[in-house]
Amino acid sequence: MIDATDLTTIEVRTQYVRPFIEKILAKTKLSVATIGIQYSTDEAAPASSEKESEEGIIGTLYQEIGLYKGESELDVRGGNNKSYAEILEEASALSAYLTREEQTLVATVASSALVSFLIPQCDYFNFLHSYFSSTSGTASSEKLAHSIDTLEQRLTNAMLWNQDSTALGGSVFPYSASRMRSTGDDNDDGFTTAYFHRFLNQGLVPYLSCGMTFCSNKAVIRKQASNDIIQLISMAICPVIPQNKVKSKSEAGASSVEECSLLPFSFHLSHNDRLQILRVCKELTMTYNATANDQAALTQLRASLFGFASYVAHSDTEATIAFEALVNASLNENDECGIQVEFQRLLQMLGESKSSCIIKSTGLCLQEMILKYKGNKTKIHRFALRLLAKQFDAEIQSAKSTEHNSSNTASATDTENIAKRQKRTPDNCKPFRLIALLKASVVIFSTGGCLQSTEERNVDFEADAEIKQMIQNATILLQCSTDDQLVQSVSKFLARALSYEPSYLIDKLNVKRIFIHMRQSLLSTNDVNTIVDALKPLIVTCSRQSSTFAVSFMSFAIKTYSTQERVLWKLATYVSIANPLAVAKRLSNLGEGSIDENVATSKIRTILSLGDASAPDTLQNCLSLAECISDMWVLFKLVRVSFQTNNYSFARALLEKRLVCGCATQQSYLYFNALSKLACGEEVLVMKGAKGITESLELLSSCNSMLTSLAALHHQNEFDFQLELIRIRLDTLNLIAISRSLTAEVLMTEGTLSSKNNRSNLYRKNISKSFGLLVSRYKKMYHLWGLHRCQQTRSTLRTLQSMCQLLSEFTTLGSKQANTPTTASTPTSKSTTPKYDQNQSMNMTISKLRTDVLEQMPKSKQKDDSVSHASGLLLVLDAILKCNCPFPSGFFQHEAIPRAIVNISADPNTLPKTQNGDHDISRDAKSGAEVIDVVPGLGTKVILSGVLPDKFVQSTDIAVSEIIAWANLQYEGQLFEEDDGVDSDVGGSNKITLRIGQDKSETTGSTYLLPAGKFIMPVTFEPLLQEGYYKVNVELGCRDVRGGEWKIPTSSPLEVIFRVDDEGSI
């Protein structure tokens, strides 16, 4: 995409688009009237389409290749020496600024250029002109659909035209097509193949990935050109397609496929060429839903890709590329039936293949298909889970039968011969198949419960039964301790599945089954440490959901590994993460043997998880254990764990005694000192409560100053998250201190106030609004940074937001001016709190304060409610201060969020035009925003186009599926001043809010990501009736695969100004 953030739409079209179109017209000998582009007469250079009147026209693309290589003496006029690869590359960069007619021209050029490569004896000029031979004007009428010849007829005419030209001694390249294009890899002359591959990689790939193919409009020519490209690619990839595998969705599509089935025999392609074309299919992208004809072309492409993988591929790597392209074609078709067919076909290939490369590739393809499907995710996920469960059960049963047969054979056959035969059996690939199936199943559970419809609240009982059966089958695989990768995949799958199905561990038999198989896995392995690390997700999940499992597992660990302290303490650490009480009861039985660095680290992490490090004896014990650790990075990780578990005393001591003293740079010294101040400030609040607010504010302010200095040294916004979190924390403590003083005043005066407009009453009015602003700031942090931080950080930000919301409701109710409670306005009840957040101590405190205090305050029967409200508010404030405030682990992640480069432009198809043909667009002198002239009563839209950086996508914790936008429209002022009638500047007009677009929770536009992070998204606005200036602010965001919405920072603000004028447009 072109970076045009500092250019207006008319500047881009004047400086880039129109010269680009003029070069295409001069190169292809088409005229403006033929293709229907409406330019003024002095802007578009006239071009004749009469082929007979020109001399020296390049009739085939291979003549153009020879021209660049000096093989031809043909003259190049007007400097139009851009190759078609460069033309398509430039078209993809300008795609957001091209009109429908211009995009149609580019589509026909791309199709014709591809034809000339595939069939050298074809006159591609004749093929190009055949698109417009039956049209004159815009070529958007549906009557043209019957007037355009089929692909076979137009190709035949183009080849006949080239034969006639050759007979007359006209435009034919001196070298024959057989010499220019040999079908063998060894007999090729070299430069034509290199030029062909350059055309594919530099030209066709950007064009197919920019989203200009298959757009939903009425341009019949453009649809036909796009279908021609897909059909040509399909025939080039797999020349012979079994007709029984092609099932088009319309008679027209079926007839087109049948007619073109013999054309590939005229293609001059080597196997390497077909492989390069295959890679092009991986970049094919559609921006809108395809029509029936488009789906017929994509169906043919899918059959061709599967045919290449099955019959044409020379290696597993080539088949892998074909499968990836097949998934991309299926996702672009966006047809539920097609997705199900390809999912079944890939799953069958995974089960039958004996190649680990093919198995891994098909497994990844299944995951991508589940993640990126754009239709009804609930239905497709249930379908996928059902198939995966059946295949998984078949693999388990096959493994059991193979093991049984092997045991019977061993009794009658030599052991050495058995080992040789087992190496040749398909069972050698069974672990790869099981791992692929488990990873694909994990993707389904990772999407946030799409298996259950949240709208209908109905549960698929068949899916639940299959989930439970799959959990039981996966539990059996825990005994395969010889394959640590399989055990790790099983552990991750069970952890995800049990999180989705927590009722499974309610049954004691299920708990016993998992415990037995896990115990067997640990006892039968030779590398205990590796298996323990592989089982970590399952140990944590089971310990969290079942106290019985946690107690039994700790008893087993103490009994079995009493002499292996490293393994014992590692297991204790994993259990303490989810169930610290089970470890605390058996802490004295863990032993006090020899201490090395690994054991000391595990001991400290276990004690920190128990929350006991604040006691003097425990603190001293942890510090003595830390002296055994010499690695500074390990010490810093212990500091992070201390903050996350609210053990600020140990964190402060470790920072001051070890890390600050070992600093080698100025940045490290500032950073560790800032953390020390932060730990000390939070420690004061935990120990002293309200009495320590003043001291804590001083320490936190010092931490904020050090982080600000540190951020100034980096200049990359790496500490924006940390600074914003500290500043909100400072504001929260200040507001709590003010609220306590106001509450104390009410209690001292017994609610008698001298004046309604005194300073205290004004403070009471604003205090609840101030807490509401803190809620908005936490919400903004959550939407901006939540996607790039872990689940614990997102949960902490939600909890802090709920805390400020509760304080806002309490202060509003406690004010004497509040006549009615406002608890029903924005409730934060336990039913709306995510399950992951409910186990936090702060959330449990908030829930108890809401039910026991806030809901009881309006029911007070005292004469003066202000006194009872004040006493309740004081109780709440002290409880909040004494409660351990959750600390986000994302605080220690110092990475700036990459900013997206986004262009906001007018849609050239909907803008009104002045008498000379120009779009009336300018730029406001004060705000710098682009001013777009809009016709009253007609809807308009702006186009957002840009690139999402690769670092942004890579840094996300959840996969991104869509790009969304929120638009805010405000009335700025009238067009003319009432006094002198002079145009007024937008920036100086009075702002009167007329309409604020959509709410933040409702998006005004959405689209899917294109390859390489590109996107093009139209944002449509309703018709504006009142004249004047309107300012439009657009915020860019994204939607993850779970449905969560997040904000994307941009390099420049997305602002435009609509000028609605009755007289200025025609």
Side-chain angles (χ1 to χ4, degrees):
M1 295 293 179
I2 184 175
D3 184 4
T5 53
D6 57 343
L7 299 175
T8 61
T9 306
I10 189 60
E11 289 173 345
V12 174
R13 289 189 56 81
T14 303
Q15 300 176 20
Y16 297 98
V17 175
R18 292 187 179 176
F20 166 71
I21 295 298
E22 289 173 1
K23 289 181 180 180
I24 296 181
L25 295 177
K27 192 178 184 68
T28 57
K29 307 305 175 184
L30 290 171
S31 64
V32 174
T34 301
I35 62 178
I37 298 179
Q38 299 178 1
Y39 288 148
S40 58
T41 57
D42 58 340
E43 288 177 328
S48 175
S49 61
E50 297 295 332
K51 187 176 179 65
E52 293 79 10
S53 63
E54 297 292 338
E55 296 180 359
I57 297 177
I58 303 174
T60 65
L61 198 58
Y62 289 104
Q63 293 177 351
E64 182 178 288
I65 300 172
L67 177 67
Y68 289 118
K69 290 295 180 179
E71 300 289 340
S72 175
E73 297 179 357
L74 296 174
D75 184 24
V76 181
R77 300 182 179 89
N80 297 316
N81 56 354
K82 270 195 172 184
S83 66
Y84 284 98
E86 295 170 339
I87 287 176
L88 294 181
E89 184 181 22
E90 188 173 353
S92 64
L94 298 172
S95 58
Y97 297 89
L98 299 179
T99 62
R100 298 188 185 96
E101 294 79 11
E102 292 164 348
Q103 292 182 357
T104 298
L105 174 63
V106 174
T108 56
V109 169
S111 176
S112 304
L114 181 60
V115 164
S116 63
F117 274 116
L118 300 179
I119 308 179
Q121 63 272 27
C122 176
D123 189 333
Y124 84 103
F125 267 125
N126 181 277
F127 185 82
L128 174 61
H129 285 256
S130 66
Y131 284 110
F132 305 97
S133 60
S134 304
T135 66
S136 59
T138 60
S140 60
S141 175
E142 295 191 2
K143 296 181 180 180
L144 301 176
H146 302 285
S147 63
I148 299 179
D149 295 333
T150 62
L151 177 60
E152 184 182 23
Q153 293 172 346
R154 284 180 283 117
L155 287 175
T156 303
N157 294 334
M159 287 187 285
L160 292 176
W161 182 278
N162 186 64
Q163 293 178 3
D164 296 340
S165 300
T166 305
L168 298 175
S171 56
V172 65
F173 192 67
Y175 297 94
S176 64
S178 60
R179 179 177 177 182
M180 288 295 299
R181 198 72 194 142
S182 175
T183 57
D185 293 331
D186 298 332
N187 299 324
D188 192 13
D189 58 1
F191 73 87
T192 52
T193 297
Y195 193 92
F196 179 41
H197 294 176
R198 176 192 172 193
F199 168 77
L200 293 176
N201 298 325
Q202 183 181 351
L204 197 58
V205 166
Y207 172 73
L208 294 178
S209 64
C210 71
M212 283 198 293
T213 54
F214 296 117
C215 280
S216 58
N217 54 61
K218 297 181 180 180
V220 178
I221 295 180
R222 185 178 170 198
K223 289 183 179 180
Q224 185 62 47
S226 299
N227 285 329
D228 290 347
I229 293 176
I230 301 303
Q231 290 186 24
L232 288 169
I233 290 176
S234 303
M235 293 184 290
I237 290 174
C238 188
V240 181
I241 303 176
Q243 292 297 319
N244 57 355
K245 292 184 178 294
V246 180
K247 298 180 180 179
S248 59
K249 299 193 176 182
S250 65
E251 295 180 359
S255 62
S256 176
V257 172
E258 185 177 359
E259 289 175 356
C260 298
S261 59
L262 299 179
L263 284 175
F265 294 103
S266 301
F267 293 175
H268 288 255
L269 295 174
S270 64
H271 182 77
N272 189 28
D273 298 331
R274 300 184 194 279
L275 188 60
Q276 291 296 326
I277 298 175
L278 180 66
R279 291 190 172 96
V280 172
C281 297
K282 295 170 59 177
E283 306 297 329
L284 174 64
T285 304
M286 294 165 37
T287 55
Y288 300 99
N289 291 330
T291 61
N293 291 333
D294 301 333
Q295 290 179 343
L298 290 171
T299 302
Q300 180 187 1
L301 177 61
R302 290 193 289 110
S304 176
L305 292 170
F306 191 80
F308 183 94
S310 303
Y311 314 117
V312 183
H314 291 176
S315 64
D316 293 342
T317 303
E318 294 181 0
T320 296
I321 299 174
F323 286 133
E324 294 174 356
L326 177 62
V327 171
N328 184 53
S330 303
L331 293 173
N332 277 284
E333 189 177 359
N334 200 27
D335 179 68
E336 183 178 323
C337 181
I339 289 288
Q340 293 179 354
V341 169
E342 297 305 332
F343 193 91
Q344 287 178 320
R345 191 161 13 184
L346 288 173
L347 190 59
Q348 182 181 1
M349 178 64 68
L350 185 146
E352 296 176 353
S353 177
K354 299 179 182 179
S355 169
S356 60
C357 180
I358 296 296
I359 293 174
K360 292 179 181 179
S361 172
T362 51
L364 292 175
C365 290
L366 293 176
Q367 297 178 39
E368 185 176 5
M369 193 174 293
I370 294 170
L371 275 177
K372 297 184 179 180
Y373 178 59
K374 306 170 187 176
N376 188 351
K377 291 184 179 295
T378 301
K379 189 173 182 180
I380 200 67
H381 285 179
R382 289 177 178 175
F383 170 81
L385 182 64
R386 187 174 295 110
L387 292 181
L388 290 171
K390 291 180 180 179
Q391 184 66 31
F392 190 76
D393 184 67
E395 294 292 336
I396 295 296
Q397 297 302 325
S398 174
K400 290 181 179 179
S401 61
T402 302
E403 183 179 358
H404 178 70
N405 294 335
S406 299
S407 61
N408 293 337
T409 308
S411 60
T413 312
D414 187 68
T415 306
E416 183 178 357
N417 294 331
I418 295 175
K420 292 181 180 180
R421 283 198 300 272
Q422 286 179 348
K423 292 180 180 179
R424 296 192 296 269
T425 58
D427 293 337
N428 292 329
C429 294
K430 188 171 292 294
F432 298 103
R433 285 195 290 270
L434 293 173
I435 291 174
L437 293 172
L438 290 170
K439 288 183 177 180
S441 303
V442 167
V443 172
I444 298 179
F445 292 110
S446 301
T447 54
C450 289
L451 298 173
Q452 181 175 352
S453 176
T454 56
E455 297 179 356
E456 301 176 358
R457 299 295 178 184
N458 59 341
V459 180
D460 191 345
F461 295 101
E462 183 179 356
D464 286 349
E466 290 170 351
I467 292 174
K468 294 179 181 179
Q469 182 62 37
M470 201 170 182
I471 292 175
Q472 293 178 4
N473 290 332
T475 305
I476 300 174
L477 296 178
L478 289 174
Q479 300 182 16
C480 303
S481 56
T482 56
D483 192 340
D484 58 320
Q485 294 184 357
L486 179 59
V487 173
Q488 185 177 12
S489 300
V490 172
S491 177
K492 290 181 179 180
F493 165 76
L494 289 176
R496 287 286 186 181
L498 293 175
S499 298
Y500 173 79
E501 191 71 24
S503 60
Y504 183 82
L505 290 182
I506 296 178
D507 189 352
K508 296 295 183 63
L509 293 178
N510 295 331
V511 176
K512 182 179 180 180
R513 184 181 296 109
I514 292 179
F515 172 75
I516 291 175
H517 288 90
M518 191 182 299
R519 181 183 61 184
Q520 183 65 26
S521 177
L522 291 171
L523 293 177
S524 60
T525 182
N526 295 326
D527 190 357
V528 181
N529 290 305
T530 303
I531 296 299
V532 167
D533 293 335
L535 291 174
K536 177 183 176 181
L538 183 58
I539 294 174
V540 173
T541 302
C542 293
S543 299
R544 179 181 293 113
Q545 295 186 4
S546 174
S547 299
T548 302
F549 174 87
V551 173
S552 301
F553 192 78
M554 280 303 302
S555 300
F556 160 74
I558 293 172
K559 181 179 179 180
T560 308
Y561 301 107
S562 58
T563 58
Q564 303 179 34
E565 290 196 353
R566 183 176 180 180
V567 177
L568 178 59
W569 280 101
K570 185 180 291 187
L571 292 174
T573 302
Y574 294 160
V575 175
S576 64
I577 294 175
N579 198 327
L581 184 60
V583 180
K585 293 179 179 179
R586 306 298 300 272
L587 188 62
S588 59
N589 299 329
L590 293 178
E592 294 291 342
S594 59
I595 302 297
D596 60 1
E597 188 168 343
N598 293 324
V599 174
T601 303
S602 299
K603 281 188 175 183
I604 294 175
R605 290 176 64 92
T606 303
I607 296 173
L608 293 177
S609 299
L610 300 180
D612 279 344
S614 58
D617 296 339
T618 308
L619 178 61
Q620 186 61 35
N621 184 25
C622 290
L623 291 176
S624 61
L625 290 173
E627 294 178 357
C628 304
I629 304 173
S630 58
D631 191 349
M632 292 296 178
W633 173 244
V634 176
L635 292 175
F636 178 69
K637 290 195 293 185
L638 290 176
V639 170
R640 292 191 306 185
V641 175
S642 301
F643 274 93
Q644 297 168 17
T645 55
N646 302 119
N647 291 290
Y648 301 109
S649 301
F650 177 73
R652 177 182 58 82
L654 204 59
L655 285 165
E656 293 177 354
K657 295 181 179 180
R658 299 293 302 274
L659 294 177
V660 174
C661 300
C663 291
T665 61
Q666 179 185 6
Q667 289 85 348
S668 300
Y669 181 80
L670 284 174
Y671 182 63
F672 289 142
N673 266 291
L675 292 181
S676 177
K677 298 292 184 183
L678 177 60
C680 188
E682 295 294 341
E683 180 186 5
V684 169
L685 282 178
V686 173
M687 296 178 63
K688 299 182 180 180
K691 298 180 180 179
I693 291 181
T694 303
E695 184 180 356
S696 178
L697 285 172
E698 293 178 358
L699 294 168
L700 293 180
S701 298
S702 178
C703 172
N704 181 52
S705 301
M706 291 181 181
L707 289 178
T708 304
S709 302
L710 191 60
L713 296 175
H714 284 76
H715 303 289
Q716 293 182 356
N717 302 325
E718 295 182 2
F719 292 92
D720 287 355
F721 179 85
Q722 289 79 6
L723 288 173
E724 181 65 16
L725 188 68
I726 293 298
R727 289 164 185 168
I728 297 180
R729 182 63 172 165
L730 286 170
D731 294 340
T732 303
L733 293 178
N734 277 315
L735 289 177
I736 289 177
I738 295 173
S739 301
R740 293 191 81 261
S741 62
L742 293 175
T743 303
E745 181 182 357
V746 172
L747 294 176
M748 292 176 63
T749 59
E750 296 183 354
T752 58
L753 300 176
S754 59
S755 175
K756 293 183 179 180
N757 295 322
N758 58 10
R759 177 174 173 271
S760 299
N761 279 330
L762 292 177
Y763 269 57
R764 291 188 183 91
K765 289 181 180 179
N766 294 328
I767 197 70
S768 61
K769 298 179 181 178
S770 299
F771 277 117
L773 291 176
L774 293 181
V775 174
S776 302
R777 290 171 65 182
Y778 274 125
K779 188 176 182 179
K780 183 179 179 180
M781 284 190 66
Y782 177 80
H783 286 289
L784 183 60
W785 279 289
L787 184 63
H788 306 270
R789 299 298 190 266
C790 63
Q791 175 67 27
Q792 190 270 348
T793 300
R794 292 192 292 271
S795 176
T796 299
L797 292 177
R798 290 192 298 263
T799 301
L800 294 175
Q801 180 181 336
S802 301
M803 180 193 71
C804 293
Q805 179 64 41
L806 179 71
L807 294 177
S808 176
E809 296 173 6
F810 266 111
T811 51
T812 301
L813 187 61
S815 176
K816 189 174 182 179
Q817 284 76 18
N819 296 323
T820 57
T822 59
T823 54
S825 59
T826 53
T828 317
S829 60
K830 185 176 180 180
S831 59
T832 60
T833 304
K835 294 181 179 179
Y836 187 86
D837 301 349
Q838 294 178 4
N839 296 327
Q840 289 192 2
S841 59
M842 176 63 77
N843 267 319
M844 291 188 289
T845 302
I846 291 174
S847 178
K848 191 170 184 61
L849 290 174
R850 182 178 296 278
T851 56
D852 295 350
V853 182
L854 182 62
E855 295 178 359
Q856 302 299 325
M857 288 173 65
K859 302 177 183 179
S860 175
K861 298 182 180 180
Q862 297 184 14
K863 294 182 178 180
D864 193 352
D865 290 339
S866 59
V867 177
S868 62
H869 291 173
S871 59
L873 178 59
L874 189 62
L875 174 64
V876 169
L877 293 174
D878 290 342
I880 291 293
L881 287 174
K882 294 293 290 184
C883 183
N884 288 331
C885 183
F887 194 87
S889 58
F891 186 87
F892 300 96
Q893 186 176 344
H894 312 128
E895 294 181 2
I897 302 177
R899 296 181 177 271
I901 301 176
V902 185
N903 306 321
I904 181 169
S905 59
D907 182 14
N909 298 301
T910 59
L911 286 176
K913 298 180 180 178
T914 58
Q915 295 180 357
N916 62 356
D918 285 335
H919 295 303
D920 193 5
I921 302 178
S922 60
R923 189 178 290 275
D924 181 64
K926 292 185 178 180
S927 63
E930 182 177 356
V931 181
I932 304 174
D933 198 53
V934 179
V935 176
L938 295 181
T940 186
K941 62 181 177 181
V942 296
I943 306 296
L944 299 181
S945 60
V947 179
L948 204 60
D950 292 337
K951 291 184 178 180
F952 183 94
V953 179
Q954 295 171 1
S955 64
T956 57
D957 186 59
I958 310 173
V960 176
S961 63
E962 292 181 70
I963 299 295
I964 58 178
W966 301 276
N968 182 12
L969 183 68
Q970 285 185 338
Y971 177 74
E972 292 287 313
Q974 56 188 358
L975 293 176
F976 303 99
E977 298 287 348
E978 295 182 356
D979 296 333
D980 52 8
V982 180
D983 285 344
S984 61
D985 286 330
V986 178
S989 59
N990 296 326
K991 292 186 177 181
I992 305 174
T993 301
L994 180 67
R995 179 173 64 88
I996 303 180
Q998 300 283 349
D999 184 71
K1000 183 73 175 180
S1001 60
E1002 299 179 3
T1003 58
T1004 56
S1006 64
T1007 187
Y1008 291 95
L1009 268 179
L1010 304 176
K1014 296 180 290 186
F1015 62 90
I1016 300 177
M1017 177 172 54
V1019 180
T1020 307
F1021 296 88
E1022 298 177 358
L1024 299 174
L1025 303 178
Q1026 181 180 346
E1027 290 187 348
Y1029 287 104
Y1030 296 82
K1031 188 174 182 180
V1032 178
N1033 293 310
V1034 181
E1035 290 187 0
L1036 190 68
C1038 62
R1039 184 178 290 123
D1040 60 37
V1041 294
R1042 299 179 181 177
E1045 297 182 352
W1046 315 94
K1047 185 179 177 181
I1048 299 176
T1050 56
S1051 58
S1052 58
L1054 304 179
E1055 297 178 353
V1056 292
I1057 294 174
F1058 289 162
R1059 182 173 58 202
V1060 183
D1061 189 0
D1062 250 337
E1063 301 178 357
S1065 305
I1066 59 174

